[in-house]
Amino acid sequence: MDKTMIPSIKEMTGAEMVIQALKDHGVEHIFGYPGGAVLPIYDALFAAANELVHVLVRHEQGAVHAAEGYARSTGKCGVALVTSGPGATNAVTGLADALLDSIPIVVLSGQVATHLIGTDAFQECDTVGITRPCTKHNWLVKDIADLPRILHEAFQIATTGRPGPVVIDIPKDIQFKKGFYVEPGSVSHRTYKPPFEADIDAISQAVALMASAKKPIFYTGGGVINAGPAASEHLRELVELTGFPVTSTLMGLGAYPASDDKWLGMLGMHGTYEANWAMHDCDVMIGLGVRFDDRVTGRIDAFSPGSKKIHVDIDPSQINKNIRVDLPIIADAGQAIKAMIKVWKQKEYKADKKALAEWWEQIERWRAKNCLAYKQNGNGIKPQYAIDRLYELTKNRDTYITTEVGQHQMWAAQRYKFEQPNRWMTSGGLGTMGYGIPAALGVQLAHRDSLVIDIAGEGSVQMTMQEMSTAVQSNLPIKIFILNNRYLGMVRQWQQLLHGGRYSHTYSEALPDFVKMAEAFGCVGIRCDKPEDLDAAILKMIDCPKPVLFDCIVDQMENCYPMIPSGAAHNEMILCDADEEATQVSDAGKMLV
Amino acid sequence: MSTNRIERHTFAILVDNEAGVLARIVGLFSGRGYNIESLTVAEIDPSQHTSRITIVTSGTPEILEQIRAQIGRVVPVHRVVDWTVDKPSIAREMALIKVAGTGEKRVEALRIADAFRARPVDTTHTSFVFEITGSPDKINQFVDLMQPLGLVEISRTGVAAISRGPDPM
Ligand SMILES: Cc1ncc(C[n+]2csc(CCOP(=O)(O)OP(=O)(O)O)c2C)c(N)n1
Ligand SMILES: [Mg+2]
């Protein structure tokens, strides 16, 4: 076959193919860090500077988290480019993070030339070996003829089915070699055929079960967000149609508007009293795009003992993994919700009004506990107060929130009310401190005019704070809002509750002067330690056109409640410090993380 | 989860024979803490570049269900079949077994080998290497009987399994 006769086949180098494939897959922004083994790709990038914006990060972990933030806030695929050896190993945390949270990203890594592989060459490492367990799939490209196909498969696998990270490891000689590029449409994968549509019989059974429910609850998760904004719209319609209460995991926040009265708040370890009690006592649980994570279920054998469980997920391996369910449905959450609405309407189902009214009465009694209330003692800023003020002052703006990991993250999840999907970027599954700053960069790059805030802890920010330099260089005016308690607060809380208050290595004697640090980076630093000054300081941060580091000095010993201690059941929640003395964490519970 | 009953199952996995595919499957087992009791792998269709992996594993029914689902998720996997639950099947294994000895023991070893249809494939005045094919249980039994007769060494292939009747996996 004469290849020149077919217009879609062009001869180019491997590096050019990479750039061409990025363009063909609609990529406009990538995050990366150069090195010897990716020089040819960087050279091709130089030529494509008008079409592809590259953000130079300060650490490859930052590149991957930025790609995650970009992906999570846009629904598109995030892309990162790293060099071989240390470039690739630095990317590993981000890959593991994206795998657990089902974030679609393509990471391109350079590799030593094919003839050097296996010789312990300079900056050689077994990238596919190291990243195999923390990617959805990965490839080492050994032949230029395979490169176009692999590039296209990578985007397909990362973005479809249960999304996730993929790595393409490209040896340097392959980047230089010439070959024939084929366009995306021309490849179809031999084995990868992800599910999508829901089985209509299973949906009909599920809907019949829902219609007969007396104490139903929707338990929604990141799968609804991943199913696209339409899925969130459909969720709203289904909740409206049925009148059922709805709770969500950490990853699912925003799929259902937090201002609505059907919203019970987040569930799980730091979930609300009403959400966890409703999960415990319900008779029909409708799990949508969730995975019954241990942070959600608490003690497995005491998890929602009396309910029939419907479980919709696109990944068959999540069915019956932690919790046995009665009705599994393997499908895209959005498709399943749409089908449920259709069946509910077709069959003219009506919810059991009387039973539902009683259920709601019960829920209102739980709600009346006001479980997120806190005591304002002392003159300092309570972290909860800081989040509440941040919420009030930003809620009417076009705001995106990222977080680090710790107490501040949980307070943000509990108190910041999300009305839309894709506005909340947090490291849920892996719990990666250091996620928030680079993720915010990714979000800001995709939404130049929006307000992007990283709700942070002083511990976490020090893991990736070098990315403030990236923020300055790339003109990304992110706001880093630190709840500074000088403690690795979440760990300190566990030490208080489980280890007799022995605060082993959780206090930071030394901390940088964050205001000076901000200035040194070329950002703006703001410090606030008085509740009465907080609003003005937050407004100053919001109005600042530059990246801002906000050092909000908060109560050092505040604990995050409610809390289900590890190994306990949903109905064994601790609500405040006074409760905690009465609660004994079992030895088995202490084993859990 | 509810039961702690441990069962032994044999899985057949049809995969694209690409670099690293075995590492993906084996890594999945070690990474998630599943057992591998035996593992057999070879290319079965060179024109299609497909290989067949047969794994004998054990676990509770819940774990076995997870194993199947997790394998199914690996990208280059075409199909997974659990021979213990899906279809009637036969499983066979081959072993080479070295036995050294003289006199009465040597005669006894040969006699038992004959009863098991094990064939001597190497013979010296003081030793035999037997080739035996059969179910893993049959091979275990044979090995037990050879133990007092001068068993020196065993090499087993691991299990190959296939469904009964005309249909493919
Ligand atoms: C990379 C990493 N290392 C360790 C941990 C364990 N860890 C979880 S929360 C936490 C404390 C975080 O401290 P800080 O950022 O100050 O947040 P706070 O809890 O005080 O709000 C630690 C150390 C982690 N989640 N990630
Ligand atoms: Mg802290």
Side-chain angles (χ1 to χ4, degrees):
Chain A
M1 187 171 57
D2 182 3
K3 294 203 161 131
T4 54
M5 297 294 287
I6 302 165
S8 67
I9 296 182
K10 287 187 227 114
E11 192 175 33
M12 57 179 90
T13 68
E16 288 164 347
M17 285 182 191
V18 169
I19 303 302
Q20 188 60 49
L22 294 180
K23 289 191 216 159
D24 287 350
H25 288 276
V27 177
E28 293 164 273
H29 303 101
I30 68 173
F31 305 87
Y33 207 86
V38 278
L39 275 172
I41 297 177
Y42 269 88
D43 208 25
L45 203 52
F46 195 77
N50 293 334
E51 295 146 284
L52 266 178
V53 175
H54 174 275
V55 170
L56 177 64
V57 295
R58 297 299 186 263
H59 185 293
E60 289 84 352
Q61 181 186 351
V64 183
H65 290 326
E68 287 186 90
Y70 185 90
R72 193 78 181 167
S73 68
T74 58
K76 294 203 277 188
C77 190
V79 179
L81 173 58
V82 302
T83 193
S84 68
T89 56
N90 276 349
V92 166
T93 301
L95 292 169
D97 192 273
L99 184 67
L100 275 181
D101 284 346
S102 310
I103 312 294
I105 52 171
V106 172
V107 175
L108 303 154
S109 57
Q111 181 56 278
V112 301
T114 43
H115 72 277
L116 291 174
I117 291 179
T119 66
D120 304 323
F122 179 63
Q123 296 196 325
E124 180 187 359
C125 75
D126 177 6
T127 300
V128 287
I130 291 169
T131 62
R132 193 176 290 127
C134 51
T135 50
K136 183 172 173 186
H137 197 56
N138 62 10
W139 298 260
L140 168 64
V141 185
K142 289 188 186 151
D143 185 343
I144 184 71
D146 295 332
L147 182 59
R149 173 181 56 79
I150 290 173
L151 285 162
H152 302 323
E153 280 179 10
F155 277 91
Q156 189 203 358
I157 290 172
T159 55
T160 58
R162 181 178 178 182
V166 299
V167 167
I168 312 177
D169 197 29
I170 313 175
K172 194 168 179 182
D173 55 325
I174 302 286
Q175 298 172 33
F176 277 120
K177 261 207 190 115
K178 283 204 163 182
F180 293 98
Y181 178 78
V182 293
E183 282 169 8
S186 52
V187 299
S188 88
H189 200 278
R190 263 158 58 95
T191 54
Y192 179 74
K193 309 252 171 337
F196 187 64
E197 297 261 354
D199 172 48
I200 196 65
D201 287 342
I203 291 285
S204 300
Q205 281 179 47
V207 176
L209 193 59
M210 285 157 62
S212 72
K214 302 205 178 315
K215 298 187 288 178
I217 187 166
F218 286 110
Y219 153 41
T220 65
V224 181
I225 310 275
N226 274 337
S232 296
E233 291 303 321
H234 290 131
L235 175 64
R236 288 153 205 233
E237 188 181 345
L238 185 60
V239 173
E240 169 88 47
L241 214 52
T242 56
F244 296 174
V246 50
T247 181
S248 145
T249 65
L250 181 70
M251 296 309 292
L253 296 178
Y256 194 81
S259 58
D260 191 86
D261 58 8
K262 303 255 178 349
W263 171 245
L264 304 189
M266 181 175 75
L267 86 167
M269 184 172 269
H270 291 289
T272 66
Y273 191 76
E274 51 271 33
N276 284 331
W277 266 100
M279 286 289 281
H280 186 269
D281 277 13
C282 69
D283 69 343
V284 174
M285 177 187 297
I286 308 120
L288 301 170
V290 291
R291 61 185 177 94
F292 295 87
D293 173 77
D294 54 77
R295 282 292 180 277
V296 159
T297 60
R299 201 170 86 222
I300 291 278
D301 59 7
F303 175 71
S304 193
S307 62
K308 287 247 180 278
K309 299 174 186 73
I310 300 164
H311 185 191
V312 176
D313 200 79
I314 199 159
D315 177 358
S317 74
Q318 299 312 304
I319 306 292
N320 292 336
K321 185 182 69 178
N322 297 339
I323 296 287
R324 284 251 133 211
V325 297
D326 301 278
L327 189 51
I329 299 172
I330 295 163
D332 172 82
Q335 294 301 311
I337 297 169
K338 212 163 84 180
M340 284 174 173
I341 294 172
K342 199 167 150 207
V343 172
W344 183 281
K345 285 183 176 164
Q346 251 171 15
K347 299 245 169 98
E348 296 181 7
Y349 279 125
K350 298 266 176 303
D352 182 337
K353 267 231 169 82
K354 187 166 156 289
L356 205 56
E358 281 170 27
W359 180 226
W360 273 111
E361 270 170 39
Q362 172 63 67
I363 290 171
E364 290 309 331
R365 282 195 292 278
W366 288 324
R367 226 180 220 166
K369 271 265 181 190
N370 197 13
C371 69
L372 298 180
Y374 62 97
K375 275 201 216 79
Q376 173 62 55
N377 44 15
N379 303 326
I381 300 175
K382 286 282 173 182
Q384 297 94 327
Y385 177 76
I387 302 277
D388 289 353
R389 292 319 301 158
L390 186 71
Y391 169 66
E392 288 300 332
L393 296 171
T394 57
K395 67 179 180 187
N396 293 326
R397 297 172 191 254
D398 174 20
T399 310
Y400 292 80
I401 301 289
T402 72
T403 74
E404 307 292 339
V405 171
Q407 291 179 315
H408 61 274
Q409 175 191 30
M410 291 299 121
W411 280 314
Q414 291 173 338
R415 313 186 79 86
Y416 201 101
K417 298 191 183 68
F418 294 94
E419 301 295 309
Q420 294 166 46
N422 306 101
R423 297 275 167 166
W424 163 247
M425 272 54 59
T426 196
S427 170
L430 197 67
T432 311
M433 292 170 68
Y435 169 87
I437 296 179
L441 294 177
V443 176
Q444 187 82 76
L445 185 66
H447 310 274
R448 284 269 181 194
D449 300 324
S450 306
L451 176 62
V452 182
I453 305 173
D454 171 27
I455 297 180
E458 83 297 332
S460 298
V461 285
Q462 291 181 81
M463 292 216 168
T464 49
M465 63 189 181
Q466 67 279 11
E467 301 304 340
M468 289 166 65
S469 187
T470 310
V472 173
Q473 176 163 341
S474 292
N475 229 332
L476 299 168
I478 59 166
K479 316 298 178 209
I480 304 163
F481 188 76
I482 303 176
L483 297 183
N484 184 349
N485 53 11
R486 289 199 89 95
Y487 273 104
L488 303 176
M490 188 55 94
V491 181
R492 186 205 54 73
Q493 176 169 345
W494 281 53
Q495 288 173 333
Q496 181 183 336
L497 299 180
L498 278 81
H499 295 274
R502 294 179 295 279
Y503 298 134
S504 179
H505 303 280
T506 41
Y507 184 67
S508 297
E509 297 278 351
L511 279 179
D513 178 331
F514 285 114
V515 172
K516 282 192 189 148
M517 188 178 95
E519 285 160 6
F521 273 108
C523 304
V524 171
I526 300 175
R527 178 170 299 121
C528 182
D529 57 4
K530 293 192 190 66
E532 58 273 23
D533 296 342
L534 188 58
D535 277 23
I538 289 174
L539 288 172
K540 188 174 154 204
M541 170 183 86
I542 294 170
D543 291 336
C544 179
K546 286 187 169 187
V548 176
L549 189 65
F550 191 116
D551 187 17
C552 184
I553 310 294
V554 297
D555 186 340
Q556 294 191 352
M557 299 305 280
E558 191 70 18
N559 284 334
C560 183
Y561 295 119
M563 176 177 182
I564 301 174
S566 43
H570 274 176
N571 57 353
E572 298 168 346
M573 229 170 307
I574 309 178
L575 286 180
C576 60
D577 282 329
D579 272 11
E580 157 250 313
E581 276 135 40
T583 308
Q584 288 289 320
V585 175
S586 67
D587 284 346
K590 283 183 196 165
M591 302 286 189
L592 306 172
V593 285
Chain B
M1 285 228 160
S2 49
T3 62
N4 295 316
R5 187 164 36 96
I6 303 286
E7 297 176 4
R8 172 180 294 128
H9 284 209
T10 304
F11 288 93
I13 310 161
L14 193 65
V15 297
D16 267 348
N17 186 16
E18 60 181 42
V21 64
L22 185 60
R24 285 182 207 285
I25 301 292
V26 172
L28 188 149
F29 275 74
S30 62
R32 292 185 183 267
Y34 308 142
N35 284 322
I36 295 184
E37 296 191 357
S38 97
L39 170 76
T40 313
V41 54
E43 188 168 69
I44 54 161
D45 187 343
S47 68
Q48 291 291 309
H49 299 290
T50 47
S51 289
R52 181 148 158 164
I53 301 173
T54 306
I55 294 188
V56 181
T57 180
S58 58
T60 61
E62 289 81 11
I63 299 263
L64 292 160
E65 189 183 331
Q66 258 298 294
I67 292 177
R68 180 212 285 260
Q70 291 292 347
I71 296 170
R73 210 154 78 116
V74 174
V75 169
V77 167
H78 287 262
R79 285 200 64 194
V80 196
V81 175
D82 179 347
W83 291 126
T84 315
V85 296
D86 291 354
K87 295 178 183 179
S89 64
I90 27 178
R92 289 291 178 270
E93 189 176 2
M94 199 269 270
L96 297 172
I97 291 164
K98 185 175 287 188
V99 181
T102 50
E104 195 45 45
K105 284 191 174 172
R106 181 174 161 82
V107 176
E108 179 66 358
L110 200 57
R111 209 180 53 74
I112 293 173
D114 196 44
F116 274 77
R117 294 178 203 221
R119 222 155 46 86
V121 289
D122 177 70
T123 307
T124 69
H125 288 300
T126 54
S127 69
F128 290 116
V129 173
F130 294 116
E131 177 191 315
I132 179 169
T133 306
S135 68
D137 280 350
K138 174 180 162 183
I139 295 178
N140 290 345
Q141 226 183 332
F142 184 69
V143 167
D144 285 348
L145 289 168
M146 287 300 121
Q147 200 80 51
L149 303 177
L151 180 71
V152 175
E153 202 178 340
I154 308 164
S155 174
R156 299 173 71 145
T157 57
V159 168
I162 205 159
S163 62
R164 295 182 181 274
D167 298 328
M169 82 180 259

